[in-house]
Amino acid sequence: MITHHPSDELLAAFTQGELTASLSIAVAAHNELCPVCQEKVEKLNAQHAQMLFDTDNETVDEASNDIQEVELSWMSMIDDITDDDSQSLLVPIDIKSVQLSYDKVQLPRALSNVSLKKWSKLGDVSRARLELEEEPIRSSLLDISPGGVVPLHTHKGFELTLLLDGSFEDDMGTYHAGDFIWLDKSHTHSPRTTDGCLCYAVLDDAMEFKEGFSKLFNPIGSFLY
Amino acid sequence: MINSPHTVQGLDTHGNTNTMKDAQITQQLQQWLIAVANNRDKRAFAQLFSWFAPKILRYGVSHLNSSANAQELLQDTMTNVWKKAHYFNADKGAVTTWVYTIMRNASFDMLRKMQTQREEMLSDDIWPLVEAQTAQEGEYTDHLMQKEMKRYLSLLPDAQQQVIKGVYFQHLSQEELATQLGIPVGTVKSRLRLALSKLKQKMGGKL
Ligand SMILES: [Zn+2]
């Protein structure tokens, strides 16, 4: 049962194509599992379409003597487009599966054409970065093995975690597949998983480890970013 | 983020005329798009093009920062409208919503191409135009067929859709359907024949 959803602001920005690819993927992957947000996005699509298209200020902004020229260029574009009479055919999507520490798991459709870098492992966590080139924003898949714990940390920027498979707990509660968890500086937590889980994480800065002992884990702070 | 003065349809202060006009436009756009889907109708496409072009250009200029980019967006968007018209499903929403989705996707991919060195098109995975159709373990069967069937069905005139749905989805006999629709059995038969031959044509003999 999904209990954590993207905010309405985020859904609106998503619908308008205003989020980075990494966050768009996060919202899309959540929506693949969440009919509630999916429906909201469909409504938003219709609203934005209406705002944009159902306006009466129908004018071509160019001065009137340019109109003929504009129409000529449109005519040639129309000819150009309709010259090719073929229709697109559905290409079945190639859904990727990944072998994790605890199971083999299917990735969401939103990730089907994104390249993953190699997996690397530190402690209980294996990480594969996505090749999206959106520095300083980074996104990764995190495979946390059964019994795994991420030491208590906070975030310098924001941390978005989308739980794709399995479950984990922190001091704030238990999370299940589909949960979309947005944290920032004001949150400190230490996620742990009993049976293992797969997360999609987006961060815009390294994690900062809190407690004296956890400082030993500093490398993991930049590893997870 | 959506605090525009004209967000919600129906809260229309000018009486009914606008709503009526909107309804007419909605219907007109749909007729054109269906003509493109069914008959590759170039004149209908030109009509759609002229209706959407100024709006797409306006959006392109404000989102992509140059009129050259706006032109490219127009070309990309309308090419997809031409090539994908047969995937439009009127049950899922208006033509404007469908075109908006295509335009937003094209614009997203263009922006990414401008900002990164990467070439892959992510938008259709993030905002799928057609519901997920995966080639997973032989699942390519009834369910998919039914979905595909429904999409083609939505391209037929209402009267023809009615008979197909009645006979093939609700499993009514032709007599029962005739009674239910209040038309002669002969009409049901002829509509059914027409609808089937159109469907066959659309589906490339897969029926
Ligand atoms: Zn949701």
Side-chain angles (χ1 to χ4, degrees), chain B residues 2-155:
Chain B
I2 30 170
N3 40 15
S4 148
H6 46 264
T7 322
V8 189
Q9 192 174 33
L11 291 180
D12 164 7
T13 48
H14 318 289
N16 281 327
T17 45
N18 265 355
T19 331
M20 260 185 62
K21 203 175 142 228
D22 284 353
Q24 276 171 6
I25 292 174
T26 305
Q27 224 193 348
Q28 179 63 78
L29 292 174
Q30 192 168 317
Q31 274 171 15
W32 285 332
L33 187 58
I34 288 173
V36 170
N38 286 1
N39 312 318
R40 312 304 284 144
D41 184 333
K42 295 187 184 185
R43 290 182 60 173
F45 179 74
Q47 301 274 24
L48 281 173
F49 192 101
S50 333
W51 197 85
F52 280 107
K55 301 158 200 246
I56 293 173
L57 286 176
R58 204 184 311 141
Y59 177 92
V61 168
S62 75
H63 283 72
L64 303 169
N65 300 322
S66 84
S67 71
N69 288 336
Q71 288 285 337
E72 194 183 330
L73 179 67
L74 175 61
Q75 173 123 22
D76 275 10
T77 306
M78 293 312 293
T79 301
N80 276 324
V81 169
W82 173 251
K83 287 184 160 280
K84 296 179 177 170
H86 56 299
Y87 294 135
F88 169 71
N89 178 350
D91 296 341
K92 285 236 134 193
V95 172
T96 44
T97 308
W98 189 71
V99 174
Y100 172 75
T101 308
I102 290 177
M103 179 190 70
R104 188 256 337 268
N105 287 12
S107 160
F108 182 87
D109 284 333
M110 278 179 70
L111 267 175
R112 246 186 84 71
K113 224 158 123 187
M114 285 153 61
Q115 286 160 359
T116 68
Q117 305 306 311
R118 309 204 61 88
E119 288 283 322
E120 77 278 84
M121 308 289 208
L122 301 177
S123 67
D124 282 350
D125 295 322
I126 296 174
W127 299 280
L129 278 185
V130 180
E131 270 155 51
Q133 311 238 344
T134 57
Q136 290 293 310
E137 34 255 349
E139 181 186 277
Y140 220 104
T141 50
D142 283 1
H143 181 57
L144 195 79
M145 188 66 184
Q146 248 199 19
K147 264 200 198 160
E148 208 176 348
M149 176 87 177
K150 277 190 183 149
R151 195 167 52 242
Y152 286 110
L153 205 53
S154 68
L155 300 171

Side-chain angles (χ1 to χ4, degrees), chain A residues 14-15 45 48 50 52-53 56 58 80 82 84 86 88-90 93 95 106 109 113 131-132, chain B residues 2 9 21 42 55 75 82-84 86-87 103-104 112 118 125 127-128 130 133-134 136:
Chain A
F14 168 77
T15 308
N45 268 330
H48 294 306
Q50 205 182 334
L52 221 61
F53 291 144
D56 265 339
E58 187 52 40
D80 213 34
T82 53
D84 178 358
S86 62
S88 342
L89 291 176
L90 279 187
I93 304 136
I95 295 287
Q106 270 191 11
R109 173 182 181 173
N113 279 303
E131 295 188 23
L132 291 172
Chain B
I2 30 170
Q9 192 174 33
K21 203 175 142 228
K42 295 187 184 185
K55 301 158 200 246
Q75 173 123 22
W82 173 251
K83 287 184 160 280
K84 296 179 177 170
H86 56 299
Y87 294 135
M103 179 190 70
R104 188 256 337 268
R112 246 186 84 71
R118 309 204 61 88
D125 295 322
W127 299 280
V130 180
Q133 311 238 344
T134 57
Q136 290 293 310

